[in-house]
Structure formats: C-alpha cells, structure tokens
Amino acid sequence: QVQVVESGGGLVQAGDSLRLACTVSERSWRTYTMGWFRQAPEKERDFVAAISWRGGSTSYADSVKGRFTISRDGAKNTEYLQMNSLKPEDTAVYYCAARYGPISSSRDDYAYWGQGTQVTVSS
C-alpha cells in the first residue's frame, strides 16, 4: 500500500512564502511522477505542478508560474512545493499525488493521493 503524506500547510499573509512537503512510503518512489493539486471550497480539484521521476521535467499551472517551484529530494523520499508571493486566491487544500508514468496535469492520471494540507492566505 502506497502512502502519501503532505505537511507544511498553514495560515500566512499575502506576499508570504510557504513550503509544502510530501513523502511517499514506497521504495520505488524514485520512479514515480509527483504532482500537486489544490481544491478551494466548492471548486474542482485543480492541477498546480508536477515533476517527473527523474526531476528533469516540471510543469506548472499558469496561475502559479514564476511563484511556485516543485522539486524532489531522492535521498529523503520527499517532494517539495515552494510557494512564494502567495495570494488570497491560493487558499485551498493542497494535495500531493503520485503516479507511475510520465508527467501529467490530469488528476485522473494519479493513482495515489495524500489527505491534503490546508493553506490559507489572508489579505
């Protein structure tokens, strides 16, 4: 059973930074594409960013390009989402997801999901 666990959410002010972390309890984690999605109240779960299993390819939603950075540390089995210049519209529950396959922005392509971590940005 693959377990995905997020951490690092919280309440910040507009313009602040926050770093989310995601760990996967799977020895073959290094072969998984990792992604971040977010869901605001009464909205769909939307793609935020993804990184290929080798870390050489990344993809971002237009709304976060230039502000968010996704990365992974193979030695720690951990993926990160560095979020800078946060805006109130970034407020959502952020979910980490994993898939065995190429990089994708479609949530239907991800088989393993964490429980989510709340990020709240006040104006």
Side-chain angles (χ1 to χ4, degrees):
Q1 180 75 16
V2 176
Q3 291 186 324
V4 180
V5 180
E6 306 97 336
S7 62
L11 172 63
V12 297
Q13 293 186 333
D16 285 351
S17 297
L18 204 59
R19 189 177 76 162
L20 305 182
C22 173
T23 58
V24 179
S25 63
E26 166 60 45
R27 286 184 296 176
S28 60
W29 171 84
R30 290 181 179 81
T31 63
Y32 282 79
T33 287
M34 302 298 297
W36 286 96
F37 292 76
R38 66 186 182 186
Q39 187 167 18
E42 301 181 359
K43 292 192 175 181
E44 297 284 324
R45 187 173 298 188
D46 293 330
F47 171 73
V48 176
I51 187 167
S52 62
W53 70 275
R54 289 181 175 176
S57 296
T58 57
S59 178
Y60 296 93
D62 288 342
S63 59
V64 306
K65 278 181 182 176
R67 299 189 298 123
F68 290 12
T69 302
I70 189 171
S71 62
R72 61 195 302 166
D73 185 337
K76 298 181 179 180
N77 266 27
T78 302
E79 173 206 17
Y80 301 98
L81 184 68
Q82 177 67 43
M83 304 185 294
N84 298 329
S85 302
L86 282 161
K87 305 175 181 180
E89 50 264 43
D90 294 319
T91 295
V93 177
Y94 283 70
Y95 296 90
C96 180
R99 73 180 301 256
Y100 187 68
I103 201 167
S104 172
S105 60
S106 173
R107 62 177 183 265
D108 293 336
D109 288 339
Y110 289 79
Y112 308 105
W113 292 83
Q115 294 300 307
T117 184
Q118 177 70 46
V119 172
T120 303
V121 184
S122 63
S123 56

